[in-house]
Each structure stands twice: as C-alpha cells, then as structure tokens.
Amino acid sequence: MTLSQGVPAQSVFSGQPAAAPAGACVTGLRWQPLPPVSHEGGAALREAIAAGRPVVVNDFAVDWPAFRRWTPERLAERFGQRSVRVYDASFGAPGRHYMGSIATMSFAAFLEETQTRGRDLRMFLYNLSRQLPELLDDVCLPDVGLRFSRRFVFSFFGCRGSTTPLHFDIDMAHVLHAVIRGRRRVRLFPPEASTALYRHPCTVRSYVDLDTPDLGRFPALACAAGFEVVLEPGQALYMPPGWWHEFHYLEAGMGVSLRAAPARLRLRALSARNLLVTSPLDRLANRLAAKAWYRWKCRSAARRAEALIAAGAAKEGTQV
C-alpha cells in the first residue's frame, strides 16, 4: 500500500488526525498516512472498531472467491443481460438529475463502458442480495464483533480517473470496503471536521475540491486534517460511522462494502433522521427551487465555517 507524505502521524492511533492549533487555519490541507494492519486473527481490526478509528487491513479479501472470479468478462458472461441504473458526475449537482440516475443499461454494457472504455458511470449502493444474490457466496463476512448482514452487501465499480465526491454515509453504518480489482486513493476525515469541510445542511455532502483547494473561497478547509491512503487489491478499509470519505479510482476497479448498523442509540437516531427527514426535505426543496436551495446551502455552510474560524481566533487571543 502506498501512503501519502504528510505531517508526523502523532495521533493516527487515537482515531483522528492531528488537529490544527487554534487560529492556525492558514497553511492548507494536511494529510497523514494510515498504517495497515494484519488481517490474521482479526485482533487489530477489532481494536480499531472498538476505538472508533479507521484502519487499513492487509490481505482482507485475498481468500474470497470474488477475488479470483470477478473479472469484467466473467461477470458480463453470467449477468450481462441484467438491467442496471447508472449515475454520473451530475449526481450531486442541483437540478433534474440531483441524487438520481441518468439512464438504464445492461450490466454488460456498463462493465464495458467503465472497465474498458473509461466512461465515468457509477452504480451506487448496488445491493447484491437484491440484484445479484448469486454473488453473495463469493463474499465472506468477517467475525470481528460487528453484525454484518448478507442483506446489505454492496458492490461498487469505477473507471480509471473517476472520483466519488467527499461525503459520509447517510445511514451512519460501520463500513468495511474491500478492494477486488484496481487501486484507489481514499481520503478520510472525522465527523468533527464537518464544519471545516463546508458540509451542506440537509445533506451528507461537501462540495470542496480536495485536489486544488480554493482557500480563498473556503478558508476553513485549512483547519481540516485528514488521512490519505492508496488501497491495493485484497486490502480493506474500515470506516467508523460518520467518517467523511472521498474515493478516487487510480485504475478501473471493483469493490465490495460490508455494512453493520451502529449500536449507539444516538447514531441510530441520526440515521433515521437522515433517511426519513433531512434527505427527503433536501430532495423536495431541490425539485421546487433547485438553484435557490443550493445557494442557501452554500451560504449556510459558509456562515458555519466563518464562525469556526472566528472561534479559533478568539481562543488564540485568550491564550496570548
């Protein structure tokens, strides 16, 4: 696994990247590496889950049948006639396609477009138990203290160069993302970074560009310290509930995410609110007044970020 170069990983094992000093939100983004652990015995993964910190697990999926069997050619041969709903980069843009699919095509055509031709199409949260239950036996659920369910095994596909934008998962689940094919870069931030990441209200999305951050427009972004890793085939990434993540496919690839509901009542309540209240409200407002609603979310995110910067400056002033 290739790791980013960043500041010393002094708080990697406390579960969060090192925070910026008060008032020091001026230096740009800071990335820390996330050292991998062994999958043998599962002890290191259990420790990370108990501590609520992300972790990369070596050789997690190398013994799965999926690791040997899932190629674009074999999947197309077996399931190519199935219809799939596809999405593109307009998924998060306000307007007609907001949070919706753009087309339906055969699974074989989708695999050809994404894995061979490099077209930026996605299948979000493609539930194997509902769509391709024949593939469930190719995936192994680990015994690491979480109740992973065969009803919630999701597959992901991406072309080389595609990016799944920065977000956290709406259901506040524990997630184990296993790489079947293709390397991908992942960036992670703790839930506490939401304000600095300019989270849009009523959504689980941020619209900041982590590759070329505009610190003039988004100055609070410099307060957010994150992890950056490159996942190799066979590795898995554990993400605790509410952690922000951005996936960038360095190669055309496939992956599987295992999900387990959080045990804490507060997180379950947040999940229910996200799914039953705020997300439907966001979609309704987009249908009624897409551009005005988007502008309001941008302004609200900016006001919260300005308050964060002001609070940091005030704290620094009291320490002088």
PDB file of all heavy atoms in Angstrom, residues 20-45:
ATOM      1  N   ALA A  20      -5.300  21.158  13.874  1.00  0.00           N
ATOM      2  CA  ALA A  20      -4.505  22.374  13.723  1.00  0.00           C
ATOM      3  C   ALA A  20      -4.578  23.187  14.993  1.00  0.00           C
ATOM      4  O   ALA A  20      -5.584  23.191  15.689  1.00  0.00           O
ATOM      5  CB  ALA A  20      -5.047  23.201  12.560  1.00  0.00           C
ATOM      6  N   PRO A  21      -3.513  23.864  15.369  1.00  0.00           N
ATOM      7  CA  PRO A  21      -3.561  24.735  16.529  1.00  0.00           C
ATOM      8  C   PRO A  21      -4.595  25.828  16.336  1.00  0.00           C
ATOM      9  O   PRO A  21      -4.944  26.182  15.213  1.00  0.00           O
ATOM     10  CB  PRO A  21      -2.142  25.318  16.595  1.00  0.00           C
ATOM     11  CG  PRO A  21      -1.302  24.402  15.773  1.00  0.00           C
ATOM     12  CD  PRO A  21      -2.192  23.852  14.727  1.00  0.00           C
ATOM     13  N   ALA A  22      -5.093  26.376  17.438  1.00  0.00           N
ATOM     14  CA  ALA A  22      -6.094  27.432  17.358  1.00  0.00           C
ATOM     15  C   ALA A  22      -5.564  28.590  16.532  1.00  0.00           C
ATOM     16  O   ALA A  22      -4.444  29.050  16.707  1.00  0.00           O
ATOM     17  CB  ALA A  22      -6.442  27.921  18.766  1.00  0.00           C
ATOM     18  N   GLY A  23      -6.407  29.043  15.593  1.00  0.00           N
ATOM     19  CA  GLY A  23      -6.040  30.181  14.761  1.00  0.00           C
ATOM     20  C   GLY A  23      -5.039  29.869  13.669  1.00  0.00           C
ATOM     21  O   GLY A  23      -4.609  30.756  12.961  1.00  0.00           O
ATOM     22  N   ALA A  24      -4.665  28.575  13.510  1.00  0.00           N
ATOM     23  CA  ALA A  24      -3.623  28.235  12.536  1.00  0.00           C
ATOM     24  C   ALA A  24      -4.185  27.736  11.221  1.00  0.00           C
ATOM     25  O   ALA A  24      -3.513  27.058  10.482  1.00  0.00           O
ATOM     26  CB  ALA A  24      -2.696  27.167  13.138  1.00  0.00           C
ATOM     27  N   CYS A  25      -5.430  28.088  10.919  1.00  0.00           N
ATOM     28  CA  CYS A  25      -6.082  27.563   9.730  1.00  0.00           C
ATOM     29  C   CYS A  25      -5.663  28.337   8.491  1.00  0.00           C
ATOM     30  O   CYS A  25      -6.467  29.000   7.844  1.00  0.00           O
ATOM     31  CB  CYS A  25      -7.598  27.629   9.901  1.00  0.00           C
ATOM     32  SG  CYS A  25      -8.191  26.783  11.373  1.00  0.00           S
ATOM     33  N   VAL A  26      -4.375  28.299   8.187  1.00  0.00           N
ATOM     34  CA  VAL A  26      -3.897  29.115   7.078  1.00  0.00           C
ATOM     35  C   VAL A  26      -2.891  28.378   6.196  1.00  0.00           C
ATOM     36  O   VAL A  26      -2.437  28.930   5.200  1.00  0.00           O
ATOM     37  CB  VAL A  26      -3.236  30.410   7.622  1.00  0.00           C
ATOM     38  CG1 VAL A  26      -4.270  31.279   8.278  1.00  0.00           C
ATOM     39  CG2 VAL A  26      -2.108  30.090   8.601  1.00  0.00           C
ATOM     40  N   THR A  27      -2.537  27.166   6.509  1.00  0.00           N
ATOM     41  CA  THR A  27      -1.411  26.530   5.832  1.00  0.00           C
ATOM     42  C   THR A  27      -1.810  25.567   4.736  1.00  0.00           C
ATOM     43  O   THR A  27      -0.947  25.056   4.038  1.00  0.00           O
ATOM     44  CB  THR A  27      -0.561  25.762   6.861  1.00  0.00           C
ATOM     45  OG1 THR A  27      -1.390  24.793   7.509  1.00  0.00           O
ATOM     46  CG2 THR A  27      -0.004  26.716   7.915  1.00  0.00           C
ATOM     47  N   GLY A  28      -3.083  25.279   4.544  1.00  0.00           N
ATOM     48  CA  GLY A  28      -3.506  24.335   3.528  1.00  0.00           C
ATOM     49  C   GLY A  28      -3.812  22.974   4.121  1.00  0.00           C
ATOM     50  O   GLY A  28      -3.737  22.765   5.325  1.00  0.00           O
ATOM     51  N   LEU A  29      -4.179  22.053   3.252  1.00  0.00           N
ATOM     52  CA  LEU A  29      -4.591  20.736   3.708  1.00  0.00           C
ATOM     53  C   LEU A  29      -3.396  19.930   4.210  1.00  0.00           C
ATOM     54  O   LEU A  29      -2.293  20.039   3.683  1.00  0.00           O
ATOM     55  CB  LEU A  29      -5.276  19.987   2.571  1.00  0.00           C
ATOM     56  CG  LEU A  29      -6.545  20.631   2.016  1.00  0.00           C
ATOM     57  CD1 LEU A  29      -7.151  19.738   0.948  1.00  0.00           C
ATOM     58  CD2 LEU A  29      -7.547  20.881   3.123  1.00  0.00           C
ATOM     59  N   ARG A  30      -3.643  19.126   5.215  1.00  0.00           N
ATOM     60  CA  ARG A  30      -2.608  18.288   5.807  1.00  0.00           C
ATOM     61  C   ARG A  30      -3.072  16.834   5.759  1.00  0.00           C
ATOM     62  O   ARG A  30      -4.163  16.533   6.239  1.00  0.00           O
ATOM     63  CB  ARG A  30      -2.343  18.715   7.275  1.00  0.00           C
ATOM     64  CG  ARG A  30      -1.914  20.155   7.414  1.00  0.00           C
ATOM     65  CD  ARG A  30      -1.834  20.579   8.872  1.00  0.00           C
ATOM     66  NE  ARG A  30      -3.036  20.270   9.626  1.00  0.00           N
ATOM     67  CZ  ARG A  30      -4.167  20.983   9.552  1.00  0.00           C
ATOM     68  NH1 ARG A  30      -4.248  22.016   8.721  1.00  0.00           N
ATOM     69  NH2 ARG A  30      -5.216  20.663  10.279  1.00  0.00           N
ATOM     70  N   TRP A  31      -2.262  15.973   5.194  1.00  0.00           N
ATOM     71  CA  TRP A  31      -2.624  14.562   5.084  1.00  0.00           C
ATOM     72  C   TRP A  31      -1.691  13.727   5.952  1.00  0.00           C
ATOM     73  O   TRP A  31      -0.485  13.950   5.978  1.00  0.00           O
ATOM     74  CB  TRP A  31      -2.520  14.091   3.630  1.00  0.00           C
ATOM     75  CG  TRP A  31      -3.402  14.842   2.693  1.00  0.00           C
ATOM     76  CD1 TRP A  31      -3.016  15.705   1.712  1.00  0.00           C
ATOM     77  CD2 TRP A  31      -4.824  14.812   2.658  1.00  0.00           C
ATOM     78  NE1 TRP A  31      -4.113  16.208   1.063  1.00  0.00           N
ATOM     79  CE2 TRP A  31      -5.246  15.685   1.622  1.00  0.00           C
ATOM     80  CE3 TRP A  31      -5.796  14.149   3.402  1.00  0.00           C
ATOM     81  CZ2 TRP A  31      -6.581  15.895   1.314  1.00  0.00           C
ATOM     82  CZ3 TRP A  31      -7.138  14.360   3.091  1.00  0.00           C
ATOM     83  CH2 TRP A  31      -7.505  15.217   2.054  1.00  0.00           C
ATOM     84  N   GLN A  32      -2.263  12.763   6.620  1.00  0.00           N
ATOM     85  CA  GLN A  32      -1.477  11.818   7.407  1.00  0.00           C
ATOM     86  C   GLN A  32      -1.671  10.413   6.848  1.00  0.00           C
ATOM     87  O   GLN A  32      -2.740  10.096   6.316  1.00  0.00           O
ATOM     88  CB  GLN A  32      -1.896  11.873   8.877  1.00  0.00           C
ATOM     89  CG  GLN A  32      -1.577  13.195   9.552  1.00  0.00           C
ATOM     90  CD  GLN A  32      -1.843  13.153  11.039  1.00  0.00           C
ATOM     91  OE1 GLN A  32      -1.855  12.087  11.639  1.00  0.00           O
ATOM     92  NE2 GLN A  32      -2.048  14.303  11.644  1.00  0.00           N
ATOM     93  N   PRO A  33      -0.656   9.578   6.957  1.00  0.00           N
ATOM     94  CA  PRO A  33      -0.796   8.190   6.496  1.00  0.00           C
ATOM     95  C   PRO A  33      -1.613   7.367   7.483  1.00  0.00           C
ATOM     96  O   PRO A  33      -1.813   7.749   8.631  1.00  0.00           O
ATOM     97  CB  PRO A  33       0.656   7.696   6.437  1.00  0.00           C
ATOM     98  CG  PRO A  33       1.356   8.511   7.479  1.00  0.00           C
ATOM     99  CD  PRO A  33       0.700   9.872   7.456  1.00  0.00           C
ATOM    100  N   LEU A  34      -2.079   6.247   6.989  1.00  0.00           N
ATOM    101  CA  LEU A  34      -2.855   5.321   7.817  1.00  0.00           C
ATOM    102  C   LEU A  34      -2.188   3.957   7.711  1.00  0.00           C
ATOM    103  O   LEU A  34      -2.434   3.215   6.764  1.00  0.00           O
ATOM    104  CB  LEU A  34      -4.299   5.267   7.318  1.00  0.00           C
ATOM    105  CG  LEU A  34      -5.355   4.634   8.226  1.00  0.00           C
ATOM    106  CD1 LEU A  34      -5.453   5.387   9.538  1.00  0.00           C
ATOM    107  CD2 LEU A  34      -6.711   4.619   7.537  1.00  0.00           C
ATOM    108  N   PRO A  35      -1.320   3.622   8.653  1.00  0.00           N
ATOM    109  CA  PRO A  35      -0.555   2.375   8.534  1.00  0.00           C
ATOM    110  C   PRO A  35      -1.460   1.148   8.491  1.00  0.00           C
ATOM    111  O   PRO A  35      -2.421   1.054   9.267  1.00  0.00           O
ATOM    112  CB  PRO A  35       0.299   2.370   9.813  1.00  0.00           C
ATOM    113  CG  PRO A  35       0.374   3.808  10.232  1.00  0.00           C
ATOM    114  CD  PRO A  35      -0.950   4.385   9.857  1.00  0.00           C
ATOM    115  N   PRO A  36      -1.182   0.202   7.613  1.00  0.00           N
ATOM    116  CA  PRO A  36      -2.002  -1.009   7.534  1.00  0.00           C
ATOM    117  C   PRO A  36      -1.711  -1.955   8.678  1.00  0.00           C
ATOM    118  O   PRO A  36      -0.644  -1.914   9.295  1.00  0.00           O
ATOM    119  CB  PRO A  36      -1.593  -1.616   6.191  1.00  0.00           C
ATOM    120  CG  PRO A  36      -0.178  -1.161   6.010  1.00  0.00           C
ATOM    121  CD  PRO A  36      -0.105   0.215   6.608  1.00  0.00           C
ATOM    122  N   VAL A  37      -2.695  -2.831   8.941  1.00  0.00           N
ATOM    123  CA  VAL A  37      -2.544  -3.854   9.978  1.00  0.00           C
ATOM    124  C   VAL A  37      -2.787  -5.218   9.346  1.00  0.00           C
ATOM    125  O   VAL A  37      -3.323  -5.334   8.246  1.00  0.00           O
ATOM    126  CB  VAL A  37      -3.525  -3.625  11.150  1.00  0.00           C
ATOM    127  CG1 VAL A  37      -3.289  -2.262  11.787  1.00  0.00           C
ATOM    128  CG2 VAL A  37      -4.973  -3.753  10.681  1.00  0.00           C
ATOM    129  N   SER A  38      -2.407  -6.232  10.064  1.00  0.00           N
ATOM    130  CA  SER A  38      -2.577  -7.595   9.582  1.00  0.00           C
ATOM    131  C   SER A  38      -4.019  -8.056   9.786  1.00  0.00           C
ATOM    132  O   SER A  38      -4.665  -7.720  10.782  1.00  0.00           O
ATOM    133  CB  SER A  38      -1.634  -8.541  10.327  1.00  0.00           C
ATOM    134  OG  SER A  38      -1.934  -9.898  10.021  1.00  0.00           O
ATOM    135  N   HIS A  39      -4.489  -8.851   8.844  1.00  0.00           N
ATOM    136  CA  HIS A  39      -5.834  -9.441   8.971  1.00  0.00           C
ATOM    137  C   HIS A  39      -5.814 -10.699   9.825  1.00  0.00           C
ATOM    138  O   HIS A  39      -6.860 -11.147  10.292  1.00  0.00           O
ATOM    139  CB  HIS A  39      -6.373  -9.762   7.576  1.00  0.00           C
ATOM    140  CG  HIS A  39      -7.730 -10.382   7.577  1.00  0.00           C
ATOM    141  ND1 HIS A  39      -8.778  -9.901   8.343  1.00  0.00           N
ATOM    142  CD2 HIS A  39      -8.223 -11.467   6.902  1.00  0.00           C
ATOM    143  CE1 HIS A  39      -9.856 -10.635   8.132  1.00  0.00           C
ATOM    144  NE2 HIS A  39      -9.541 -11.593   7.274  1.00  0.00           N
ATOM    145  N   GLU A  40      -4.648 -11.254  10.045  1.00  0.00           N
ATOM    146  CA  GLU A  40      -4.538 -12.537  10.751  1.00  0.00           C
ATOM    147  C   GLU A  40      -5.144 -12.436  12.152  1.00  0.00           C
ATOM    148  O   GLU A  40      -4.740 -11.602  12.969  1.00  0.00           O
ATOM    149  CB  GLU A  40      -3.076 -12.963  10.841  1.00  0.00           C
ATOM    150  CG  GLU A  40      -2.878 -14.344  11.441  1.00  0.00           C
ATOM    151  CD  GLU A  40      -1.428 -14.777  11.412  1.00  0.00           C
ATOM    152  OE1 GLU A  40      -0.601 -14.015  10.880  1.00  0.00           O
ATOM    153  OE2 GLU A  40      -1.134 -15.879  11.913  1.00  0.00           O
ATOM    154  N   GLY A  41      -6.122 -13.272  12.417  1.00  0.00           N
ATOM    155  CA  GLY A  41      -6.760 -13.308  13.731  1.00  0.00           C
ATOM    156  C   GLY A  41      -7.814 -12.231  13.941  1.00  0.00           C
ATOM    157  O   GLY A  41      -8.665 -12.365  14.821  1.00  0.00           O
ATOM    158  N   GLY A  42      -7.741 -11.154  13.196  1.00  0.00           N
ATOM    159  CA  GLY A  42      -8.736 -10.090  13.305  1.00  0.00           C
ATOM    160  C   GLY A  42      -8.583  -9.190  14.511  1.00  0.00           C
ATOM    161  O   GLY A  42      -9.401  -8.286  14.720  1.00  0.00           O
ATOM    162  N   ALA A  43      -7.529  -9.386  15.319  1.00  0.00           N
ATOM    163  CA  ALA A  43      -7.392  -8.628  16.560  1.00  0.00           C
ATOM    164  C   ALA A  43      -7.207  -7.138  16.295  1.00  0.00           C
ATOM    165  O   ALA A  43      -7.802  -6.291  16.979  1.00  0.00           O
ATOM    166  CB  ALA A  43      -6.218  -9.166  17.381  1.00  0.00           C
ATOM    167  N   ALA A  44      -6.374  -6.789  15.318  1.00  0.00           N
ATOM    168  CA  ALA A  44      -6.108  -5.376  15.041  1.00  0.00           C
ATOM    169  C   ALA A  44      -7.365  -4.669  14.541  1.00  0.00           C
ATOM    170  O   ALA A  44      -7.625  -3.513  14.890  1.00  0.00           O
ATOM    171  CB  ALA A  44      -4.984  -5.248  14.025  1.00  0.00           C
ATOM    172  N   LEU A  45      -8.157  -5.348  13.721  1.00  0.00           N
ATOM    173  CA  LEU A  45      -9.396  -4.761  13.233  1.00  0.00           C
ATOM    174  C   LEU A  45     -10.395  -4.588  14.374  1.00  0.00           C
ATOM    175  O   LEU A  45     -11.063  -3.546  14.476  1.00  0.00           O
ATOM    176  CB  LEU A  45      -9.989  -5.632  12.126  1.00  0.00           C
ATOM    177  CG  LEU A  45     -11.324  -5.179  11.533  1.00  0.00           C
ATOM    178  CD1 LEU A  45     -11.267  -3.733  11.056  1.00  0.00           C
ATOM    179  CD2 LEU A  45     -11.744  -6.105  10.393  1.00  0.00           C
TER     180      LEU A  45
END
